[in-house]
Amino acid sequence: MNPVVHFEMPYDDRERMATFYGAAFGWQAQMLGEEMGNYVLATTTDSDESGRPTSPGAINGGFFPQHPDWPGQHPSVVIAVDDIQASMQKVEAAGGQVLGEPMEIPGVGHYVAFTDTEGNRASMLQPLTSA
């Protein structure tokens, strides 16, 4: 099985979003720059020095800026896969639609979003440590 390892949600105002989740849930936000698409990493649980959660079943997440011309900008989950190309083929064979080509996230791995047969947006990540 391929586990859910991350969540993502869009934001309109990243400072407001970070303040809200910090105040409401105690999450910590790490604001990344333009070179990383103004992504915001969200630490939601105790994590080790590499950022991996130390509690079984817990995940961290992130927030991305809303773009009016992008499809499927809704909360979603990120699924870890060993081979992103093979997984893209499996998604399409199962009736889903891959949204573009995988992009490299420096220091993390390769990532691509998709929609499932129900219209839900999700994504896949092949971490650097995978084949």
Side-chain angles (χ1 to χ4, degrees), residues 47-53 60:
S47 301
D48 64 19
E49 59 279 349
S50 68
R52 291 191 174 92
N60 289 314

Side-chain angles (χ1 to χ4, degrees), residues 4-21:
V4 172
V5 295
H6 191 78
F7 69 84
E8 293 186 310
M9 292 191 273
Y11 69 79
D12 283 321
D13 180 320
R14 73 185 196 158
E15 296 294 333
R16 179 180 64 207
M17 172 277 300
T19 299
F20 171 80
Y21 282 99

Side-chain angles (χ1 to χ4, degrees), residues 106-122:
V108 176
H110 288 87
Y111 167 96
V112 70
F114 66 93
T115 55
D116 67 13
T117 56
E118 309 312 303
N120 297 306
R121 179 191 171 274

Side-chain angles (χ1 to χ4, degrees), residues 6 28-32 39-43 61-63:
H6 191 78
Q28 298 171 347
Q30 179 185 355
M31 310 286 192
L32 302 180
Y39 199 79
V40 178
L41 291 173
T43 301
F63 294 82

